[in-house]
Amino acid sequence: VNVGLWQPDKNQTYAIELARKCWDKYGWTYIFHFIGNQAPNFENYWKPLMKNLPPNVKIHGEKDTKEVSKFYKMADLLLFPSDDECSPLVLKEGISNGLKILAFDLEHYGDTYINYIEPLSNNINKDYELLLDTIHSPRKYNVNLNDSKYNIEKFANAHKNFYKNLLNK
């Protein structure tokens, strides 16, 4: 699953290319679900992408919180190729739902997420192999899904402390 507003920083282009590689080799084995608003002010980004989607990509548009939660619960993996983020709620939600996560380990995250993600490399061939390996491997960590509130607070506090330390430098 991929969650986020369709705009360049969220980098759905990269996720679609990974989906295309999966389609070319495995057909319907791997389905990629995209949830997020396609706002008119970013139409120049997302509209061309809609014209050439592989068949294994399903676009669901913007969903309310309950619906997004269902996607997290059903997903095998969260693919979050955003290359410019501040404090990504999507990563926190993925972690609190116990998902395997592929994401770029952005410098300003510090060490906040590294124990919970498989870092993307920005090399489509390597990341395709990483995607397949991650889907078929056990989770890196265990999360008590009944305790997701605790996890969100933990990551929010880690982020708050990270930024507080950054400002004090």
Side-chain angles (χ1 to χ4, degrees), residues 135-150:
I135 287 173
H136 297 287
S137 67
R139 284 180 171 75
K140 279 174 73 168
Y141 61 95
N142 292 315
V143 172
N144 178 352
L145 295 179
N146 295 323
D147 199 10
S148 62
K149 182 175 185 269
Y150 168 79

Side-chain angles (χ1 to χ4, degrees), residues 93-149:
E93 290 172 338
I95 292 165
S96 70
N97 279 282
L99 285 171
K100 298 175 191 178
I101 301 170
L102 293 184
F104 288 108
D105 184 27
L106 302 179
E107 183 179 344
H108 59 273
Y109 290 167
D111 291 332
T112 303
Y113 301 108
I114 194 61
N115 293 325
Y116 302 96
I117 67 171
E118 295 295 339
L120 292 167
S121 68
N122 212 23
N123 176 310
I124 197 76
N125 293 319
K126 285 182 182 178
D127 290 340
Y128 167 72
E129 294 300 326
L130 177 65
L131 172 78
L132 297 177
D133 289 345
T134 303
I135 287 173
H136 297 287
S137 67
R139 284 180 171 75
K140 279 174 73 168
Y141 61 95
N142 292 315
V143 172
N144 178 352
L145 295 179
N146 295 323
D147 199 10
S148 62
K149 182 175 185 269

Side-chain angles (χ1 to χ4, degrees), residues 51-65:
K51 294 178 181 177
N52 189 26
L53 294 173
N56 62 336
V57 167
K58 303 300 174 199
I59 308 298
H60 299 279
E62 187 172 13
K63 299 290 181 191
D64 67 32
T65 304

Side-chain angles (χ1 to χ4, degrees), residues 5 12 14 26 37 93 106 108 128 135 154 160 163:
L5 172 69
Q12 286 93 347
Y14 199 73
Y26 296 105
N37 185 328
E93 290 172 338
L106 302 179
H108 59 273
Y128 167 72
I135 287 173
K154 175 183 172 186
K160 186 171 93 178
Y163 287 109

